[in-house]
Amino acid sequence: MTDAESVPDRTARVVLVDDHRMFRTGVRAEIGRTEVTGIDVVGEADDVESAVRVVAETRPDVVLLDVHLPGGGGVEVLRRSTAVMGEPGGVKFLALSVSDAADDVIGVIRGGARGYVTKTITGADLVGAIFRIADGDAVFSPRLAGFVLDAFAATDTPPVDEDLDRLTQREREVLRLIARGYAYKEIAKQLFISVKTVESHVSAVLRKLQLSNRHELTRWATARRLV
Amino acid sequence: MASPDPVTSTGADGPAGGDTAAEQPDRPPFRKLYRSPHSRMLGGVAHGLAVHLGLPVTWVRAAFVLLFFANGIGVLLYAAFWFVVPIGIGEPALGSEWVWAGGQFVPAGASGVTPEPLRKGRRGRLGRLRDLLQGTFQGEPVIAEQAVPGEPPAAASRRNAGQLAALLMLVVGVMWLLNALHLQSSQPYAWPLLAIGVGVALVWRQADDSRWARWFGLTGGRRRSAVARVGAGVLLVAAGIVGFLILQGTGSAVGSVVEASLAVLAGVLVLTGPYALRMWQDLGAERTARIRAQERAEIAAHIHDSVLHTLTLIQRRAEDPKEVQRLARAQERELRLWLYRPEAAAEAAPDTLAERIREVVAEVEDRHGVPIELVCVGDCPMDERIAAQMQAAREAMVNAAKYGGGAPVQVYAEVEGRTVLVFVRDHGPGFDPDTVPEDRMGVRESIIGRMKRHGGTARVRPAPDGGTEVELEMERAADD
């Protein structure tokens, strides 16, 4: 993928949080060449304590956050970083995980992460995702899109709450294409809309997921014995 | 780059659906007059005529009723139509039956109009009574309720009442007609005639609904009951004729009349027997051939999926005897299981879609060493159709793993209502289904052919930014 975002006409400051040194080194090697990718890795952390500290000190644009961490996991990092997340232009979190368990995924998204990608992602895609997150958009991996569809599918029948709770037809379509493995650009092509529109659909989904669908998600999680 | 395969008339870029019409080469001609198997009161004559003429069904029914008062011509007409016009169930095209929906015949399953099973819960006493009556005539429960799945209970019971009334009115009408034809003097003839009429109706009704094929293929109890029904019909007719003769005062001549009739009958049998026998045999042979062809296609698809792929793997790893042996052994075991103990193979398979597709993904991943990312939304119990779809999906995954250039393959499965959708996407160079040689079975037989045989659709199309996407769509067989 050679998105316009991956051309280094701008830079993003990134912190890597992962308890595996090898993985951090690999990611840094893959995306850390600032002159090519525009990514500047300003810090690393390997557990919750150090992650919270490093993030507070460096105030990066984006934190690549592993879901499983010693000391409480990615959710705990998110919980203790609300101060730096809240303000406009604040730190944004992108979950990067091997885990494809629904509770992990939904947990970090509910915790405030702006996106979720799995570790099978390519370097170029990851760079693109980081810039999207830095711009305030949301990035979903196919699996996360699947989880969200699944979660909202249960709410299809009864119109429970206000419209805010339900995904629009278009958002559903976009999620379905993400789940089928389409990149944002391909989705735009397929649906004859702009990439910006795709991004705004995805952001809308994230907003609904975080804010308004609380009880549906709880019900969904309970049904699957996740909580 | 892939382009739509003309054989399957796959929409290359259009959304799913919309091309079902083109996919059904054996669609029955609409303008031909058929009796309607559904939403009928008696024989479906009025409904069929109404559809044929494009008139409201009420008008046609009213016309029949009006004609009835013109010396009973309406009843005679109706009976004539009933006997002569075939019922509108096309010869079931293997696996798919035509259903009556939205004013036209559509193949069940192909466009989402699957007749639902009987809903026992919402039939009232009236409905059961009618079923009993119609069951006597038809030999099986009425299927009216299957035709209108979404019908509210009130409307259903209204229809039940209507059909019951129609049946009663038919009986009353026939009596009245007999009365009118044989006024006071010949009153006694009414009863033999009625017996003959009921007998004929029994036999004709039995043969109705294009059930001949099923009738002959029936097993056990149903077949016995069918024979009993026809026997009763014949007995009634015979009794009616004898009664008629006795009433006419020719009772003494009954013996000779029967003798003469038997002689004529025997003659007719001798003359037409060979033809009938021949026709019967041809029919059977044709059926067998069709079933055999389908079976062969299924076996070919399976052999292709399993044995041929293993042979390819063996060729690639020819220098590693251990691996070759392992592959060959595993394949032998699987093939034996499939050939000789199909029920065990079916038992071993998991019984929900999500589990099954996870298993398939793991298996293909293991064997071909290409990562497959699976996203599964929703779940449903397995049935025969979904199992076929899973086999087609497996084949699509194998293709994607083999020709996808080693990049992760993406699989997305979704259960939406009664539809099960599976997408398999690779990031390989793509291919053109038209240029695939005839003898390559992969896409044509294992994916497209298999989906078609089980009443689903498969589309192969290029993905927007390179690669190929296979879309498999299947209706679930029944409610869970």
Side-chain angles (χ1 to χ4, degrees):
Chain A
M1 199 164 116
T2 50
D3 274 341
E5 287 94 331
S6 67
V7 179
D9 54 349
R10 47 178 296 205
T11 58
R13 300 170 68 247
V14 170
V15 164
L16 299 178
V17 180
D18 196 298
D19 53 339
H20 293 111
R21 217 180 104 93
M22 287 281 280
F23 184 76
R24 291 201 306 274
T25 314
V27 173
R28 191 191 266 271
E30 189 85 11
I31 67 169
R33 292 166 299 145
T34 317
E35 65 286 354
V36 182
T37 59
I39 302 286
D40 183 10
V41 179
V42 296
E44 290 182 18
D46 62 359
D47 62 7
V48 172
E49 287 298 326
S50 60
V52 173
R53 200 181 58 243
V54 171
V55 168
E57 278 167 9
T58 57
R59 293 295 178 101
D61 297 312
V62 175
V63 178
L64 283 183
L65 182 66
D66 189 12
V67 175
H68 292 290
L69 280 178
V75 181
E76 183 65 15
V77 178
L78 287 162
R79 201 180 61 77
R80 289 168 57 181
S81 303
T82 37
V84 293
M85 276 160 62
E87 70 228 38
V91 180
K92 299 184 179 67
F93 289 82
L94 172 59
L96 175 64
S97 174
V98 283
S99 163
D100 47 24
D103 47 353
D104 287 342
V105 177
I106 301 291
V108 291
I109 293 293
R110 297 278 312 285
R114 301 305 308 262
Y116 183 100
V117 292
T118 47
K119 285 182 175 174
T120 53
I121 193 170
T122 64
D125 284 345
L126 183 56
V127 171
I130 288 171
F131 279 109
R132 284 219 173 82
I133 296 286
D135 287 342
D137 283 317
V139 174
F140 281 5
S141 70
R143 192 171 290 276
L144 178 51
F147 287 145
V148 175
L149 279 172
D150 222 358
F152 279 94
T155 72
D156 256 355
T157 22
V160 196
D161 292 0
E162 55 276 35
D163 286 343
L164 201 61
D165 271 3
R166 272 169 291 148
L167 299 180
T168 65
Q169 199 52 47
R170 203 54 151 179
E171 285 160 1
R172 205 175 279 270
E173 232 169 306
V174 168
L175 279 184
R176 200 166 281 150
L177 285 168
I178 292 175
R180 277 160 62 181
Y182 283 52
Y184 284 20
K185 217 169 59 173
E186 293 175 306
I187 295 170
K189 217 181 270 181
Q190 178 91 15
L191 299 180
F192 304 105
I193 55 180
S194 72
V195 175
K196 273 274 159 255
T197 316
V198 175
E199 284 170 359
S200 73
H201 283 311
V202 173
S203 294
V205 172
L206 182 62
R207 202 178 59 242
K208 292 178 182 184
L209 197 56
Q210 280 175 323
L211 302 176
S212 58
N213 210 268
R214 209 160 298 141
H215 93 221
E216 289 306 334
L217 279 173
T218 313
R219 209 181 65 188
W220 172 75
T222 317
R224 286 166 175 71
R225 279 181 246 120
L226 297 177
V227 290
Chain B
M1 254 331 90
S3 72
D5 188 335
V7 184
T8 62
S9 72
T10 58
D13 40 22
D19 49 1
T20 41
E23 274 170 12
Q24 299 299 332
D26 45 358
R27 173 170 282 249
F30 288 168
R31 298 307 299 171
K32 242 174 152 178
L33 179 58
Y34 284 110
R35 281 185 292 118
S36 155
H38 304 295
S39 55
R40 63 177 171 197
M41 291 292 177
L42 290 169
V45 170
H47 200 268
L49 264 179
V51 170
H52 182 66
L53 301 173
L55 293 171
V57 66
T58 332
W59 293 13
V60 181
R61 283 182 181 145
F64 272 120
V65 170
L66 282 180
L67 281 172
F68 168 69
F69 289 109
N71 270 342
I73 288 174
V75 171
L76 292 178
L77 253 179
Y78 195 98
F81 271 119
W82 194 342
F83 281 5
V84 172
V85 178
I87 198 141
I89 301 176
E91 175 73 13
L94 275 174
S96 75
E97 222 171 319
W98 299 102
V99 297
W100 182 259
Q104 56 179 9
F105 287 98
V106 290
S111 52
V113 199
T114 322
E116 297 206 347
L118 284 174
R119 302 249 168 103
K120 291 262 189 288
R122 66 167 189 223
R123 49 182 44 190
R125 221 173 311 146
L126 257 182
R128 276 199 298 276
L129 183 55
R130 176 175 63 80
D131 281 359
L132 202 72
L133 268 177
Q134 288 230 342
T136 325
F137 275 101
Q138 265 176 288
E140 59 190 270
V142 224
I143 42 178
E145 274 159 277
Q146 295 178 12
V148 204
E151 199 173 41
S157 84
R158 253 206 317 282
R159 286 162 46 80
N160 284 346
Q163 294 198 347
L164 183 62
L167 263 176
L168 286 177
M169 270 169 64
L170 181 76
V171 173
V172 171
V174 168
M175 306 273 268
W176 195 76
L177 180 68
L178 290 174
N179 245 350
L181 289 181
H182 313 271
L183 294 171
Q184 306 84 355
S185 64
S186 46
Q187 188 75 333
Y189 290 119
W191 293 108
L193 274 178
L194 194 64
I196 293 174
V198 171
V200 168
L202 265 178
V203 175
W204 274 86
R205 217 58 184 85
Q206 178 63 48
D208 206 351
D209 298 358
S210 307
R211 304 285 174 178
W212 283 99
R214 272 180 56 191
W215 190 31
F216 294 126
L218 288 178
T219 51
R222 289 191 53 93
R223 181 173 197 146
R224 260 200 306 281
S225 81
V227 170
R229 199 165 293 108
V230 172
V234 171
L235 260 179
L236 269 173
V237 171
I241 290 173
V242 169
F244 198 72
L245 290 176
I246 291 172
L247 280 173
Q248 268 200 330
T250 48
S252 52
V254 165
S256 55
V257 166
V258 166
E259 216 168 86
S261 313
L262 281 180
V264 170
L265 203 67
V268 168
L269 265 183
V270 166
L271 284 179
T272 60
Y275 292 102
L277 199 67
R278 182 63 167 282
M279 221 154 81
W280 182 287
Q281 282 169 342
D282 282 356
L283 214 79
E286 195 254 351
R287 247 171 60 135
T288 320
R290 214 173 40 196
I291 291 169
R292 212 169 268 163
Q294 181 149 21
E295 201 130 275
R296 190 178 298 134
E298 204 52 46
I299 290 177
H302 187 271
I303 297 277
H304 171 273
D305 293 359
S306 56
V307 180
L308 286 186
H309 280 310
T310 307
L311 287 177
T312 316
L313 284 175
I314 285 177
Q315 279 174 32
R316 274 192 207 161
R317 298 178 191 178
E319 70 294 333
D320 182 354
K322 278 237 165 60
E323 181 67 10
V324 167
Q325 275 181 9
R326 187 191 67 80
L327 283 169
R329 237 192 324 262
Q331 186 53 65
E332 187 197 338
R333 200 166 36 228
E334 198 212 309
L335 194 60
R336 273 180 192 286
L337 189 69
W338 187 77
L339 280 177
Y340 302 118
R341 296 182 56 214
E343 71 287 351
E347 255 172 43
D351 49 4
T352 77
L353 169 71
E355 278 173 50
R356 175 75 189 130
I357 198 166
R358 235 165 249 144
E359 194 184 86
V360 169
V361 163
E363 193 187 316
V364 177
E365 220 171 22
D366 281 353
R367 195 174 285 194
H368 295 268
V370 173
I372 299 180
E373 291 169 11
L374 170 68
V375 176
C376 192
V377 171
D379 202 354
C380 70
M382 292 291 289
D383 58 46
E384 203 181 319
R385 289 167 163 214
I386 313 265
Q389 188 184 24
M390 287 302 106
Q391 285 173 327
R394 182 183 185 281
E395 180 60 21
M397 286 178 217
V398 169
N399 277 345
K402 266 161 88 179
Y403 308 114
V409 174
Q410 260 133 354
V411 179
Y412 176 60
E414 180 172 4
V415 182
E416 199 185 22
R418 308 184 53 78
T419 313
V420 179
L421 281 163
V422 177
F423 297 88
V424 178
R425 193 209 160 153
D426 65 53
H427 296 266
F431 78 107
D432 183 352
D434 294 340
T435 64
V436 177
E438 280 296 322
D439 60 330
R440 303 300 296 213
M441 294 268 296
V443 172
R444 194 171 291 116
E445 273 308 312
S446 284
I447 301 180
I448 295 167
R450 181 176 272 149
M451 290 299 285
K452 258 195 159 167
R453 278 197 298 278
H454 291 85
T457 51
R459 299 177 184 80
V460 181
R461 59 166 158 248
D465 267 16
T468 308
E469 188 171 52
V470 178
E471 178 186 339
L472 308 170
E473 186 178 349
M474 186 69 88
E475 292 282 322
R476 284 159 58 198
D479 270 344
D480 43 335

